[in-house]
């Protein structure tokens, strides 16, 4: 779980990793530093939908206001200037991402889509981590679809059984800068 107070938010303990890349260029006395979080797997079991998007003749997925949100998030960020407290900034970034995805423990936050959620999370990172210049987030979909086949067995589906699937697939990318 994200915390004991967050009954609907879960984070896989591994294989999340953190790293930084430092690059020096000839003629520039300041390094360019990019930091990363890779493979942060999150699962939000309620307060998530997929709605409010463009509908046309090619739309295959129906809108819903109740679904699992799951992804293996990669984030990378650059800095506004020299930084010495990398662990502090990484914690600010990670906390901002989790707050954007799950919301406060007492109430949570509704997500109309993964796209909207990662944008909001990126904006929270920029708000709470003043040394971050830009953040890019990549989130492949990990789908859990409602198991409506229960009706064939005479049972009622009550948003309680979801089946993992690899289809439909997609990857969402968002970059927000100051």
């Amino acid at each position: 779980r994200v915390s004991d107070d967050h009954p609907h938010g879960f984070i896989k303990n591994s294989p999340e990793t953190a790293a930084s890349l430092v690059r020096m260029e000839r003629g520039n006395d300041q390094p360019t530093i990019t930091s990363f979080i890779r493979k942060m797997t999150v699962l939000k079991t309620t307060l998530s939908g997929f709605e409010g998007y463009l509908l046309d003749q090619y739309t295959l997925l129906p809108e819903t206001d109740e679904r699992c949100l799951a992804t293996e998030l990669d984030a990378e960020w650059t800095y506004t200037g020299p930084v010495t407290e990398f662990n502090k900034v990484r914690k600010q970034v990670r906390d901002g991402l989790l707050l954007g995805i799950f919301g406060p423990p007492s109430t949570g936050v509704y997500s109309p889509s993964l796209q909207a959620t990662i944008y909001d999370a990126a904006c929270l990172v920029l708000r709470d981590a003043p040394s971050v210049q830009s953040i890019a987030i990549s989130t492949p979909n990990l789908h859990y679809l409602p198991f409506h086949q229960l009706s064939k067995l005479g049972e009622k589906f009550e948003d309680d059984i979801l089946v993992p699937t690899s289809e439909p697939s997609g990857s969402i990318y968002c970059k927000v800068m100051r």
Side-chain angles (χ1 to χ4, degrees), residues 20-105:
S20 289
L21 172 68
V22 179
R23 194 170 118 186
M24 290 292 295
E25 293 181 4
R26 207 172 293 146
N28 186 356
D29 61 345
Q30 293 297 318
T32 301
I33 302 171
T34 305
S35 294
F36 309 89
I37 293 175
R38 295 282 189 248
K39 297 186 177 192
M40 183 168 77
T41 304
V42 296
L43 171 66
K44 183 175 177 179
T45 59
T46 191
L47 292 176
S48 180
F50 189 58
E51 58 186 355
Y53 53 87
L54 176 67
L55 299 171
D56 62 17
Q57 70 268 24
Y58 302 108
T59 302
L60 299 176
L61 295 175
E63 290 187 296
T64 182
D65 63 359
E66 184 62 46
R67 73 164 188 159
C68 285
L69 181 152
T71 190
E72 187 176 87
L73 182 147
D74 288 341
E76 66 179 64
W77 59 95
T78 59
Y79 297 91
T80 56
V83 175
T84 57
E85 299 180 7
F86 290 98
N87 288 334
K88 177 183 174 186
V89 175
R90 181 188 179 280
K91 182 175 178 351
Q92 290 172 330
V93 169
R94 192 173 190 277
D95 290 350
L97 292 171
L98 295 177
L99 182 62
I101 293 167
F102 298 111

